[in-house]
Amino acid sequence: MSEQSELPLEGRGEAPTVQRSGEARSAAQGDERTGSHGSLMERAVARENAIQAFKRVRRNKGSPGIDGMTVEELEPYLREHWQAIREQLLAGSYQPSAVKRQLIPKGGGGMRQLGIPTVLDRFVQQLLLQVLQPLFDPTFSEHSHGFRPGRRAHDAVREAQQYIQDGRRWVVDVDLEKFFDRVNHDMLMGKLYDRIADRRVLRIIRRYLEADIMADGVVVERLEGTPQGGPLSPLLANVLLDEVDKELERRGHAFVRYADDCNVYVRSKRAGERVLAALRQQYAKLRLRINEEKSAVARAWVRQFLGYSFWVAKGGLVKRRVAPTALGELKQRVRRITGRNGGRSLQQVTSELGQYLTGWREYFKLADTPGTFAGLDGWLHRRLRALQLKQWKRGRTTWRELSARGLPEWLVQRGAGHGGRWWWAAALGAMQTALPGSYFERLGVPRLASHTSTH
């Protein structure tokens, strides 16, 4: 195997960053087609880019596709087959596998369909993403934050907050109907064709879009949509929706978009209704539909955006909070994890709960509501105390455990006389003394109230 086609997945140091300044500058200068000399695929399969793509796929982990190959099995597979895969990509003959359908529950009800590519296809998509994103990203709107380097959901939330603070107290909250399932292939490919000259890259993207779906062992043909679950899907979504962003910018609107969630902030309900009517037409040009039941023109503090909502404090200062729907989802998840009929030890429960709450706390750290988080901490600790009492079961066991924790006899007597009323007993002072919040922190359950930020 020649050095050029070899893929040494370890050693020789880290690969340099893929986003080269020269590429970004050339893309930012205009909308000229890239890869005019047929070199885009060569850059995609270059050694440094391949190493970076492999590391990213390995870091992202994820479940196997239809062939059952795991992320851990990718490296030995590539060591044996990389030369053949590379030659197929350069020849434009690489054929992706079908994606595996996976349904996950949506927060607002219903199911979201994911399309899980094979690990090998995720690697190939990552190869392409790393050469395409530096070319497209600099030309996207500054008000688009979803799945872009150096941007995150918190940036979008802060931008929305600033619009409201500036006096735009009405929001046009647009929800697209099954966006990823409704993407028109010809419309998207037309936009890619305007920017990419390398036909091999265009050909493989088209094949990914048209890859069959395997559901319950049956292969189903796909005629529209881009499967959520592959590395390329977010970039393709931004390519398609950038046209709407540019039109909103041209009209001078204050808007923020994260993936297919778009909010436009205006000063009156009438202005919002005009914007919503214009957006219907704009999305229709892309053969997309607005979900009329979930979209609305409303007061900004009535709606939620990316799990946050807003409220007006004293002095007219607009602040952030966790949206009621997100709080409800948190409690539903916690109830499932801490259910007293699960047959799991307290250590197993706190391990799973700690992992979930650590991520939740990090995402919602922008909320300016320490009282809400303190209340959640109290509720969480009470549920864990009730679980522990249920596992102790008998009053004699509870007496022994409380005594071992150094409680005075009168508190032990009160705590042990719960008579199977786990939830009631969990609120007793004896239980709070014996099983304080610090005890659950030592078991890995973080406090929510101590990690909020207003920055």
Side-chain angles (χ1 to χ4, degrees):
M1 186 182 298
S2 67
E3 183 175 346
Q4 183 182 18
S5 62
E6 183 183 5
L7 181 60
L9 298 176
E10 299 293 346
R12 302 193 188 182
E14 291 288 331
T17 179
V18 175
Q19 186 166 345
R20 302 176 179 86
S21 58
E23 294 173 351
R25 280 197 299 270
S26 65
Q29 290 171 355
D31 289 340
E32 68 273 8
R33 298 177 78 194
T34 59
S36 300
H37 301 290
S39 62
L40 206 55
M41 187 62 82
E42 278 74 12
R43 285 158 53 192
V45 301
R47 172 183 169 273
E48 292 176 352
N49 192 58
I51 293 173
Q52 193 78 0
F54 168 76
K55 290 179 178 178
R56 176 55 65 94
V57 171
R58 183 174 59 182
R59 186 163 60 247
N60 289 345
K61 300 180 180 179
S63 59
I66 63 169
D67 61 356
M69 181 190 294
T70 65
V71 172
E72 292 74 20
E73 294 170 325
L74 177 61
E75 180 178 356
Y77 184 86
L78 288 176
R79 287 191 180 279
E80 183 176 353
H81 300 285
W82 169 238
Q83 183 175 6
I85 295 168
R86 182 178 183 277
E87 290 173 355
Q88 291 174 21
L89 290 169
L90 289 173
S93 60
Y94 181 84
Q95 185 64 48
S97 302
V99 298
K100 181 174 69 175
R101 187 179 71 169
Q102 183 171 322
L103 299 177
I104 61 173
K106 298 171 65 174
M111 303 296 288
R112 175 178 286 110
Q113 177 175 288
L114 298 183
I116 309 299
T118 63
V119 174
L120 177 59
D121 280 334
R122 297 207 294 270
F123 168 73
V124 173
Q125 286 194 36
Q126 187 67 35
L127 289 175
L128 297 175
L129 176 65
Q130 290 172 180
V131 296
L132 291 174
Q133 192 157 48
L135 300 172
F136 280 93
D137 193 81
T139 68
F140 289 151
S141 168
E142 63 177 327
H143 306 292
S144 167
H145 298 276
F147 307 105
R148 297 181 59 190
R151 294 171 180 260
R152 53 181 183 164
H154 287 171
D155 300 323
V157 172
R158 290 190 183 98
E159 185 175 356
Q161 179 187 14
Q162 188 59 54
Y163 287 144
I164 302 170
Q165 187 66 66
D166 292 342
R168 296 177 175 87
R169 302 299 174 93
W170 289 84
V171 61
V172 183
D173 186 354
V174 177
D175 183 272
L176 292 177
E177 187 175 283
K178 296 182 179 180
F179 168 70
F180 284 94
D181 297 334
R182 296 282 171 82
V183 169
N184 182 274
H185 294 169
D186 292 335
M187 184 69 64
L188 175 57
M189 290 306 302
K191 294 185 176 301
L192 293 173
Y193 181 83
D194 290 340
R195 299 287 303 278
I196 300 172
D198 194 323
R199 297 297 182 89
R200 298 166 299 179
V201 173
L202 293 169
R203 195 176 301 131
I204 191 172
I205 292 176
R206 166 72 83 167
R207 288 173 182 164
Y208 274 122
L209 290 174
E210 296 178 346
D212 294 334
I213 299 176
M214 178 170 285
D216 301 322
V218 178
V219 175
V220 180
E221 183 180 8
R222 182 171 62 234
L223 301 177
E224 62 180 359
T226 173
Q228 285 182 271
L232 270 177
S233 293
L235 175 65
L236 299 180
N238 281 331
V239 169
L240 184 64
L241 295 175
D242 186 59
E243 179 178 318
V244 179
D245 295 344
K246 292 299 194 292
E247 181 63 19
L248 289 170
E249 286 181 338
R250 190 185 68 80
R251 298 189 181 196
H253 288 305
F255 75 98
V256 57
R257 182 173 67 81
Y258 191 93
D260 57 328
D261 289 327
C262 181
N263 279 9
V264 185
Y265 293 87
V266 295
R267 299 183 185 275
S268 69
K269 183 177 182 180
R270 180 175 295 180
E273 290 171 345
R274 289 197 299 267
V275 170
L276 182 57
L279 283 173
R280 285 193 189 97
Q281 297 179 1
Q282 195 67 27
Y283 285 122
K285 292 179 182 178
L286 300 176
R287 302 185 187 179
L288 298 171
R289 291 200 298 267
I290 288 179
N291 187 325
E292 299 293 345
E293 292 184 1
K294 295 184 178 180
S295 302
V297 178
R299 287 290 190 180
W301 43 83
V302 175
R303 307 293 289 185
Q304 65 174 337
F305 182 54
L306 301 179
Y308 282 87
S309 60
F310 304 95
W311 59 288
V312 182
K314 290 183 179 180
L317 185 64
V318 176
K319 293 192 173 185
R320 304 171 294 254
R321 64 183 176 189
V322 183
T325 301
L327 283 175
E329 292 171 358
L330 165 73
K331 290 187 174 183
Q332 183 179 9
R333 179 74 175 270
V334 169
R335 287 189 182 100
R336 184 188 64 77
I337 295 174
T338 61
R340 293 190 287 277
N341 296 317
R344 298 190 299 165
S345 69
L346 183 64
Q347 286 72 23
Q348 290 174 317
V349 170
T350 53
S351 175
E352 181 181 353
L353 185 62
Q355 292 179 20
Y356 170 66
L357 290 179
T358 298
W360 192 94
R361 183 182 69 169
E362 177 64 22
Y363 181 77
F364 286 107
K365 67 182 181 181
L366 296 186
D368 302 308
T369 51
T372 298
F373 286 109
L376 285 172
D377 282 333
W379 176 76
L380 284 163
H381 296 158
R382 186 176 179 183
R383 286 197 64 84
L384 291 171
R385 290 188 198 102
L387 175 63
Q388 180 65 88
L389 285 169
K390 173 71 180 298
Q391 293 180 350
W392 286 343
K393 293 183 179 179
R394 296 180 300 174
R396 183 179 301 175
T397 304
T398 303
W399 184 291
R400 184 178 65 249
E401 292 290 345
L402 295 181
S403 297
R405 285 164 170 78
L407 269 66
E409 185 174 345
W410 69 274
L411 268 182
V412 172
Q413 184 175 4
R414 188 173 185 185
H418 55 75
R421 295 176 292 173
W422 324 115
W423 181 248
W424 171 82
L428 294 175
M431 293 298 105
Q432 295 182 43
T433 302
L435 301 171
S438 58
Y439 171 72
F440 299 115
E441 282 188 89
R442 290 194 297 272
L443 291 177
V445 179
R447 286 187 183 269
L448 301 179
S450 62
H451 200 67
T452 56
S453 169
T454 57
H455 297 298

